Amino acid sequence: MHKPALRGRQGPWGWLFVSPAVLVLGLFLALPIVMALWVSLLDWNGQSNPFTGGQATFVGLDNYRDLLTQDGLDRTLFATSLRNNAYYVLLFVPLSTGLGLTLAMIVNQRMLRGRSLLRTTFYFPSVTSTIAVSTIFLFLFQGSGAVNSLLSWIGIKGPNWFADPRGVVWVTLGNLGLVDPEQPSGLLADHSFMGLSWFEWLSGPSVAMSTMILLATWTTSGTFMLIFLAALQDIPRELEEAAALDGVNRRQLLRHVTLPALRPVLFLVLTLALIGSWQVFDMVYVMGQGAPGNTTLTPAFMSYQSAFKNADYGQGAAIAFILFAIILVLTGAQRWLLRERGPRQGRRR
Amino acid sequence: MTTTTTAGPPAPAPRRPRRARRVRSTEQPVLGRSPVIWRVLGYALVIGLASLYVMPFVIQLATSFKTNPDAAANPLSLWPATPTTAAYQRLFGLSESHETVPFLRWLGNSAFVTVLVTAGRVLFDSMAGYALARLKFPGRRLLFLFLLAVMAVPGIVLLIPKFLVLSTFGMFDTYAGMVIPLLVDAAGIFIMKQFFESVPREVEEAARIDGAGVFRIYWSVVLPMARPALITLTILSFQGSWNEFTHFLVSTQSAEYETLTTGLARLVSGGLGSGGQFPLKLAAAALSTIPVAILFFCFQRYFIRGANAGSVKE
């Protein structure tokens, strides 16, 4: 800073160096958001140019109102997609985080042989494309597919996974004879929220959605494993040795040494999982496009569908912004929750 | 100096203890060995878990060499009843009997786009990363905040916005529209920035005293030193653009621009009602995975560093 001559020379170079990045990110990330915000206030069918007048009508917040407060098909569909995705989050986030941590602990065992081969094995699904692995899952989970063949060995007749819209909560309770999944009764059927009955809200993910959750867990756990593994290997070994000298057992070591050391990384992984799980798209596109019975419809896919299939770009953009808000709020909430309970307030920023 | 040595990368990937036979005796477990029965159960569990991760790919490969009826009747068997390469022949246009799948077109498009995107990201991300790490210029802090903000935007929110911009600029359904928006990625800029900050300043100062200009220092001094980071970025970019789906879905429309991902997605989701032809679909999926798989097995440690780039950002 105290060499003005140098600084004067570097200024133009600095901007020259960042200009391609600024140009591309500005034009294809920042500008689009502003444009979409405008489009979300329009009734526009994708024809002509909405920025120079044309055939688009300004409708204000109508798109948002249809989705959130106005009785009707749009809101019911949107509520369904929110419900589907909420169940996805509820299962995917703990499953993938827990599995990632378990795998990391396994491949971190010093006594285990073949650790690097295992690490490769667990990570491989993460580097392949979602489209390709979805194709594999479509084959494995067909009605008469490999998974059901396996299940039949132990006497279980598996469902027709991708065609089964029943919620797993009602299927389970139905098998126990507690409720009739086909016949919602009294309280649950009579009350509703955002156009969906309580029965529908509480159904759990459909069987079809559950297979997607499995796929996502399978492809993501490897990445999370690596993130956890890096953190595990940063724990000084002396710490474990000192604890061992004090006579702690494995469980105490995990509880009082390992897990506290993993806190920041756990936070990172949970955030990544949460952000990712509101963006499920590729899988939905390949594996069902919302079918069966809209139980695999997610807000991200509905946004795409509204715009590109139904030519209602205003609604599509509005859904995208609601989704954006959900992700922001949940990430913020998670940050706040995890900070409150921590013994160490040391996280910067 | 360091440019010619093949010494290990300065930013180490997760350390793994170099285990040779002689070391084992010193590797005392902290808490003593578990009883044999637990170790046996442990290995059984680990092998079970590992097979859950491997079997789908094995079944995929086996099925791609089956006939349609065989695939439907014996979905679990790992050996085709009558092995056939019919699926692969159809993909490469070698068989006359069926309507062909334009697989070579997809492959060409994927390769073309991937090469351009990877080259662009390596160049532009490293330039921006270097400027942010080393050059003093007005607006640098603001730019840094801009990048952070851009990274916080979930990609899926941009589906419609990107389409709007591309069609406004007349780039919808063109190679330009497929490639240009992907040429820069904020995460890559951060990886490069991180690396350049770890390079000792003395190196650049020596070059500066010798009279080298900013671009020359970047191009001939710092960039060659950044080889490990550049390889990481190359591999991540390759994998990212090879596997990219949503951007191509909203930036193109015509069949001539289909890539492996969009083409395969249409083949698979379109044929849902028929349910058959799984050998063909799985063969196409397998072929589209192979380049990334080879890359992965050769350059694992760079993938690993990439996966942990997320934790570095914090």
Side-chain angles (χ1 to χ4, degrees):
Chain A
M1 291 294 262
H2 50 266
K3 281 190 235 165
L6 207 63
R7 187 187 165 153
R9 252 192 302 140
Q10 282 186 354
W13 278 107
W15 275 104
L16 195 69
F17 270 49
V18 295
S19 54
V22 170
L23 211 64
V24 171
L25 295 178
L27 280 181
F28 297 103
L29 275 161
L31 175 69
I33 293 182
V34 181
M35 284 167 88
L37 202 55
W38 171 242
V39 167
S40 80
L41 306 174
L42 301 178
D43 178 16
W44 177 50
N45 64 2
Q47 304 300 311
S48 79
N49 189 332
F51 305 102
T52 55
Q55 296 171 10
T57 333
F58 183 81
V59 294
L61 293 176
D62 273 7
N63 288 321
Y64 294 91
R65 199 172 298 137
D66 287 348
L67 292 167
L68 295 173
T69 59
Q70 193 96 49
D71 269 336
L73 204 62
D74 288 340
R75 192 181 68 163
T76 307
L77 208 56
F78 187 57
T80 308
S81 76
L82 285 179
R83 178 205 61 181
N84 297 340
N85 213 328
Y87 279 119
Y88 181 96
V89 174
L90 226 53
L91 286 171
F92 169 76
V93 173
L95 274 180
S96 60
T97 311
L99 188 60
L101 184 56
T102 310
L103 296 179
M105 294 212 170
I106 289 174
V107 297
N108 194 40
Q109 290 289 320
R110 289 189 188 84
M111 298 309 295
L112 184 74
R113 295 177 192 208
R115 282 170 304 172
S116 67
L117 181 68
L118 279 173
R119 203 175 57 184
T120 308
T121 307
F122 294 142
Y123 188 43
F124 185 63
S126 308
V127 302
T128 55
S129 83
T130 313
I131 307 298
V133 291
S134 298
T135 311
I136 304 179
F137 261 55
L138 277 174
F139 176 69
L140 295 179
F141 281 87
Q142 294 175 85
S144 57
V147 173
N148 280 354
S149 306
L150 267 182
L151 288 178
S152 70
W153 289 359
I154 52 170
I156 298 176
K157 190 182 179 303
N160 198 347
W161 299 90
F162 289 110
D164 197 334
R166 293 174 303 162
V168 290
V169 171
W170 298 139
V171 171
T172 313
L173 293 180
N175 286 342
L176 296 171
L178 293 175
V179 290
D180 182 357
E182 312 296 329
Q183 287 282 308
S185 58
L187 194 68
L188 291 177
D190 297 342
H191 293 70
S192 67
F193 173 68
M194 281 182 78
L196 282 192
S197 73
W198 286 11
F199 182 79
E200 287 166 301
W201 277 108
L202 295 174
S203 66
S206 70
V207 176
M209 183 54 115
S210 304
T211 55
M212 291 194 191
I213 296 173
L214 283 182
L215 174 66
T217 306
W218 185 66
T219 52
T220 317
S221 49
T223 309
F224 291 170
M225 170 193 76
L226 285 183
I227 300 178
F228 280 125
L229 188 62
L232 281 174
Q233 294 183 336
D234 275 346
I235 300 177
R237 232 185 137 198
E238 293 74 38
L239 211 59
E240 293 175 27
E241 277 158 5
L245 282 179
D246 289 344
V248 301
N249 61 29
R250 276 169 203 279
R251 193 173 306 148
Q252 287 168 326
L253 187 71
L254 180 69
R255 168 87 179 74
H256 295 290
V257 177
T258 314
L259 286 184
L262 288 180
R263 259 187 68 87
V265 175
L266 190 65
F267 172 77
L268 173 82
V269 168
L270 284 173
T271 306
L272 289 176
L274 192 65
I275 292 175
S277 57
W278 283 99
Q279 302 194 54
V280 212
F281 182 85
D282 299 12
M283 260 192 301
V284 179
Y285 186 95
V286 182
M287 293 168 94
Q289 311 222 340
N294 290 326
T295 60
T296 61
L297 185 71
T298 59
F301 189 77
M302 189 181 167
S303 162
Y304 169 82
Q305 203 175 32
S306 299
F308 297 98
K309 295 274 167 70
N310 306 338
D312 189 348
Y313 287 82
Q315 189 183 60
I319 295 173
F321 281 105
I322 297 174
L323 200 55
F324 196 0
I326 291 174
I327 294 175
L328 279 184
V329 168
L330 285 179
T331 313
Q334 195 186 43
R335 217 181 169 84
W336 181 77
L337 272 174
L338 276 157
R339 197 198 51 209
E340 282 302 284
R341 265 187 272 123
R344 208 162 53 91
Q345 298 280 23
R347 199 171 296 119
R348 277 161 288 132
R349 286 194 284 132
Chain B
M1 309 178 316
T2 33
T3 56
T4 49
T5 60
T6 47
R15 273 162 281 127
R16 82 165 176 254
R18 288 266 160 248
R19 241 169 20 115
R21 245 155 259 95
R22 60 189 162 75
V23 185
R24 190 168 295 152
S25 58
T26 63
E27 271 206 358
Q28 289 296 327
V30 171
L31 288 169
R33 290 176 86 96
S34 334
V36 176
I37 177 80
W38 286 117
R39 268 186 284 150
V40 171
L41 281 178
Y43 271 102
L45 176 83
V46 166
I47 292 170
L49 259 178
S51 59
L52 280 183
Y53 281 79
V54 173
M55 282 317 279
F57 294 109
V58 178
I59 293 180
Q60 172 191 29
L61 269 184
T63 308
S64 69
F65 289 103
K66 291 178 183 173
T67 59
N68 285 339
D70 188 18
N74 309 304
L76 249 182
S77 83
L78 296 182
W79 192 253
T82 46
T84 167
T85 53
Y88 293 95
Q89 286 180 16
R90 258 189 81 185
L91 289 177
F92 289 109
L94 299 174
S95 70
E96 309 280 314
S97 52
H98 298 275
E99 80 280 30
T100 51
V101 178
F103 185 79
L104 290 174
R105 176 103 215 166
W106 302 347
L107 191 67
N109 281 340
S110 274
F112 176 68
V113 169
T114 299
V115 166
L116 287 182
V117 168
T118 304
R121 283 193 184 177
V122 168
L123 180 65
F124 297 144
D125 289 358
S126 70
M127 280 167 63
Y130 179 69
L132 283 172
R134 278 295 198 264
L135 301 180
K136 300 255 180 295
F137 57 95
R140 187 173 74 146
R141 291 182 65 86
L142 204 68
L143 194 67
F144 187 70
L145 290 178
F146 169 73
L147 278 180
L148 281 180
V150 154
M151 278 174 73
V153 178
I156 209 73
V157 170
L158 290 163
L159 280 187
I160 297 170
K162 265 194 203 161
F163 164 77
L164 293 175
V165 170
L166 289 175
S167 54
T168 305
F169 294 161
M171 285 159 69
F172 179 70
D173 218 20
T174 63
Y175 283 118
M178 293 170 79
V179 172
I180 294 175
L182 299 181
L183 281 181
V184 174
D185 76 318
I189 296 179
F190 275 86
I191 292 179
M192 294 313 294
K193 173 176 175 288
Q194 204 92 34
F195 181 87
F196 287 127
E197 276 169 354
S198 75
V199 174
R201 280 179 186 276
E202 289 76 29
V203 177
E204 288 162 82
E205 262 148 35
R208 195 168 294 136
I209 289 166
D210 288 348
V214 174
F215 186 79
R216 207 179 149 74
I217 291 175
Y218 159 77
W219 188 257
S220 322
V221 179
V222 194
L223 209 53
M225 289 177 71
R227 202 165 57 180
L230 291 176
I231 296 175
T232 302
L233 190 59
T234 306
I235 285 171
L236 290 181
S237 305
F238 181 95
Q239 182 217 9
S241 45
W242 188 267
N243 288 345
E244 176 65 50
F245 174 67
T246 43
H247 174 66
F248 300 144
L249 188 66
V250 299
S251 61
T252 62
Q253 186 175 39
S254 323
E256 64 179 298
Y257 295 114
E258 270 178 346
T259 61
L260 284 170
T261 47
T262 51
L264 182 62
R266 187 176 51 76
L267 178 72
V268 172
S269 63
L272 202 66
S274 68
Q277 305 208 349
F278 266 111
L280 179 76
K281 294 171 187 171
L282 290 172
L287 287 176
S288 74
T289 309
I290 284 174
V292 177
I294 292 175
L295 208 66
F296 174 65
F297 287 113
C298 294
F299 297 100
Q300 276 188 60
R301 58 185 179 138
Y302 297 100
F303 278 93
I304 288 166
R305 197 177 308 151
N308 286 300
S311 46
V312 177
K313 268 176 299 193
E314 182 72 13

